[in-house]
Amino acid sequence: MKNLVVASLLAAGALASQAAFASGTVDITWQGTDTSGIKLSTMDTTVSNSVPLTSNYATTALNYVYTATGESFVAYCIQPSEGNGRALRNQTYAVESFTGEQAQHLQALFSTSYAGLSTHDDKAAFQLAVWELMLETGNTFSVTGGSFKVLGGDAASLAASTQANSFLAQALAYQGPALYSLTKLTHGSLQDLVVATPLAAVPEPESYAMLLAGLGIVGLVARRRLPR
């Protein structure tokens, strides 16, 4: 019974979030980031395809509000070379999907690490891992090697890079089910985003059997208590 209740709550939350991105476009407003903890800008220069990109992100996900309902949500950047529109409101993004190997890798990353992100440092490392999967042009999925990598940085930044590589290793080894629905939000002049919505847990057959058995017992007890 408890499993069914939890599944129902997860399903309701997932449906509410998915409804916000059901159309071909969505209007959203950037709400800011948490600036405590590690800032990715301390990691010196990020290199993608030999073109330097200055990374000026705080440690946590980007916070947005869906204009139509006021529902808030978080997103991770998948295009660090573009601005996030912090001074703009009600920006229209196209709602798209990830495809191919990129979709598989992102899904594995979110399924293995997203739920466990708690500190600002965790989120900084996760953002680096997302960028690596989106921007790496070779087969070296590491934020310290390949075509996309972090050069230099202080001790805390190097620790975030190490954690990002740990996230990537777990993702590449993942063989389990998809735990999130991933939405790709794209904009012509602002950074593109990835938004994760938890998929509803499906109760195991044993849960249904236990529920039916429990209802049968309750019914039997109720009948026995009826006045004769």
Side-chain angles (χ1 to χ4, degrees):
M1 183 66 175
K2 180 179 180 181
N3 289 341
L4 288 176
V5 172
V6 171
S8 298
L9 292 175
L10 286 174
L15 289 174
S17 298
Q18 289 171 349
F21 304 113
S23 62
T25 61
V26 62
D27 291 340
I28 62 177
T29 298
W30 182 82
Q31 297 292 297
T33 57
D34 192 323
T35 57
S36 57
I38 296 174
K39 281 192 176 182
L40 299 185
S41 57
T42 66
M43 296 182 180
D44 195 4
T45 304
T46 302
V47 177
S48 175
N49 297 331
S50 300
V51 179
L53 303 174
T54 300
S55 172
N56 194 27
Y57 288 86
T59 62
T60 187
L62 302 172
N63 301 299
Y64 288 88
V65 169
Y66 177 61
T67 305
T69 65
E71 177 187 1
S72 61
F73 63 96
V74 297
Y76 277 87
C77 168
I78 59 177
Q79 197 178 22
S81 59
E82 299 288 348
N84 61 16
R86 65 182 64 191
L88 304 175
R89 300 188 63 81
N90 298 340
Q91 291 298 296
T92 300
Y93 282 72
V95 179
E96 302 177 2
S97 300
F98 296 95
T99 59
E101 187 177 74
Q102 199 172 70
Q104 296 173 9
H105 287 161
L106 272 178
Q107 179 60 246
L109 177 66
F110 275 83
S111 293
T112 52
S113 301
Y114 187 61
L117 302 178
S118 58
T119 69
H120 304 295
D121 298 351
D122 291 342
K123 295 167 187 177
F126 190 81
Q127 176 65 86
L128 284 175
V130 169
W131 281 342
E132 175 65 28
L133 294 180
M134 295 301 302
L135 300 174
E136 175 62 47
T137 59
N139 296 318
T140 303
F141 290 105
S142 167
V143 301
T144 51
S147 64
F148 176 88
K149 57 183 175 290
V150 175
L151 300 179
D154 54 22
S157 300
L158 294 175
S161 296
T162 299
Q163 187 176 8
N165 284 338
S166 177
F167 288 157
L168 290 166
Q170 293 177 59
L172 294 175
Y174 186 64
Q175 299 294 324
L179 302 182
Y180 295 89
S181 172
L182 300 183
T183 302
K184 183 179 183 181
L185 301 181
T186 63
H187 192 285
S189 59
L190 300 176
Q191 63 192 216
D192 297 340
L193 308 168
V194 55
V195 181
T197 303
L199 291 172
V202 179
E204 298 293 332
E206 293 81 359
S207 299
Y208 287 113
M210 292 177 63
L211 172 63
L212 293 174
L215 290 175
I217 293 173
V218 170
L220 178 61
V221 172
R223 283 196 298 272
R224 287 181 174 178
R225 289 181 177 176
L226 289 174
R228 299 181 180 279

